[in-house]
Amino acid sequence: MRSDAIKKGIEHAPHRAALYGLGLTEDDLKKPFIGVINSRSEIFPGHAGLDTVAAAVKDGVHAAGGLPFELGTIALGECINEGLPGMRYNLPSREFIADSVEILAGAYPLDGLVLIPNCDKIVPGMLMGAVRANIPAIFVSGGPMLAGELSDDGGTRLLDLVSVNEGMGRAIRGEISEAELERMAHAACRTCGSCAGMFTANTMNCLTEALGLAFPGNGTIPAVDARRVRLAKAVGERSVGLVKENLCPRDIVTPAAIDNAFTVAMAIGGSTNTLLHLPALAHEAGLDFPLSRVNEISRRTPLLAKFSPASDYRLEHLDRAGGIPAVMKELKSLLNLDVITVTGQTLEKNLAAARVTDRNVIRPFADPYAPTGGLAVLFGNLAPDGAVVKSGAVAREMLVHRGPARVFNSEAAATQAVMRQEFRSGDVLVIRYEGPRGSPGMVEMLWTTSLLCGMGKDKEVALVTDGRFSGATRGPAIGHISPEAAAGGPIAALRDGDIISIDIPGGKLDVELSDEEIKRRIKKLPPFQPKVTSGYLRRYAARVTSASTGAVLRDND
């Protein structure tokens, strides 16, 4: 075991002295050391219940004869800094979390890891760090919150945070009062846990199952369900077995496992941020995963399920319908079933008992919502290296659209214009200089898109950006345009009135300008001036790569 390095020998007496100072005994030092890396914080409901999960994990480690040590990482909750300058830190925090996991696993002679994430950038950050450290590791999330409920004369409505975001647009239109909006805000977050819809956190927690790094149920068992505690205890027990078997993340995160994860993401209409995080994970594992591969997977994968923001179903409905194992059982003809998972069994054996219990939630493979997946990558002269859209949440009439550009150089400017309704039906709103380098940090546009949806404009107006969207975004919102404006991408050449053509089924995103005109305009632009010139974000902007490659950081020369 790695921990043997400090358990034996005269020269390691000082190490043992420090351990005895914790109250450990000589018998304790005979046990495997398991690092329990917890992302708990007290400022967001997604993280608030993780102390219960960690306690159950540690009980499981003890029960299996291991010795747990709880450690921590930072944890940002996107809904707390949505629309604020602090949003710039969210995607960069992914790299910080990955570094933290690597540092903890590298600095301490731990034999294995249990990683406890729950929210948007924490899951991929911990995945990246675990693959980088490559010692036996297993994941257990805090689970999704239950949908909020609001009763009125029309019955009981289910709510989540995007309901409140879209409620802002309804309030601006005068459709609901400020008092009604506040009533929704009180009701939306009913319990602790990650947001109730198929947003980024829940997408990524579900995909840890598809990758083989978490037990079945990890992505869908509600945060407040006793099964979550039992799951966490079982994970703690299994972590000791992983150490004995020396089964490590890079044994599990293979090209076949990445394909499986993308296939599941397509079938459940997952977050567009998947197309940042899975390529970044592949990069950490030393695997090449071009963005064009996503469309190959999408074309063969039917959309079997729709969840908020694309429907009224939430994660609790998916859980009751059989969860991710039921989805994968339905997709078995498309999956690599012989891959190994943290259970110690192949994916095929893990799925043996899975079944769909509600066909309203998980459609049959032969009768899907759509014949292709819920995410799409678009290419064209506006996005030579690609752009992404949650196609499963776009109204049919907006899958193909052509309209004049209305250009903004920041999310804040666009949001103010939307609130003042300074746009016309048919417009294509363009938000640029919000990419990984330009923002810096690639802020998400949930406020802007939610306002448009709440105003009922998601079937009239499209939005394109080199920034990103929340997994809660719906409508014709196209993000991750690469190269970004700050890198001199074609989006930097756009002017008000330029005609933009969107063809989501055809995978195309173009501006009706010649290549020569685009190059001429870009050549005339002044050099990009960074918005942040000090601190972590300055260092991040100097090293971050394109969204098309997962916005990973380049190594210093």
Side-chain angles (χ1 to χ4, degrees), residues 172-194:
I172 289 170
R173 290 184 68 190
E175 185 180 329
I176 62 173
S177 65
E178 288 189 31
E180 176 66 7
L181 180 61
E182 195 65 14
R183 209 163 72 92
M184 293 170 64
H186 276 287
C189 293
R190 181 178 168 196
T191 69
C192 67
S194 48

Side-chain angles (χ1 to χ4, degrees), residues 490-523:
I491 190 173
L494 293 180
R495 297 173 181 170
D496 284 347
D498 289 340
I499 301 301
I500 294 175
S501 176
I502 299 166
D503 181 358
I504 294 173
K508 299 290 290 181
L509 178 62
D510 293 293
V511 57
E512 295 180 7
L513 296 173
S514 67
D515 292 344
E516 291 74 18
E517 175 63 11
I518 292 172
K519 290 176 183 177
R520 186 185 67 80
R521 291 186 186 183
I522 291 174
K523 190 174 181 179

Side-chain angles (χ1 to χ4, degrees), residues 145-198:
M145 65 174 65
L146 297 177
E149 294 183 350
L150 191 64
S151 297
D152 52 31
D153 292 342
T156 299
R157 290 179 284 152
L158 295 183
L159 303 176
D160 52 37
L161 277 169
V162 75
S163 309
V164 183
N165 280 48
E166 293 187 5
M168 293 189 299
R170 296 172 63 197
I172 289 170
R173 290 184 68 190
E175 185 180 329
I176 62 173
S177 65
E178 288 189 31
E180 176 66 7
L181 180 61
E182 195 65 14
R183 209 163 72 92
M184 293 170 64
H186 276 287
C189 293
R190 181 178 168 196
T191 69
C192 67
S194 48
C195 302
M198 190 57 77

Side-chain angles (χ1 to χ4, degrees), residues 82-106:
E82 196 77 55
L84 303 174
M87 174 54 74
R88 289 175 174 166
Y89 286 94
N90 283 55
L91 183 60
S93 78
R94 183 190 73 179
E95 315 308 313
F96 197 95
I97 292 164
D99 289 348
S100 297
V101 172
E102 177 194 355
I103 289 167
L104 292 170

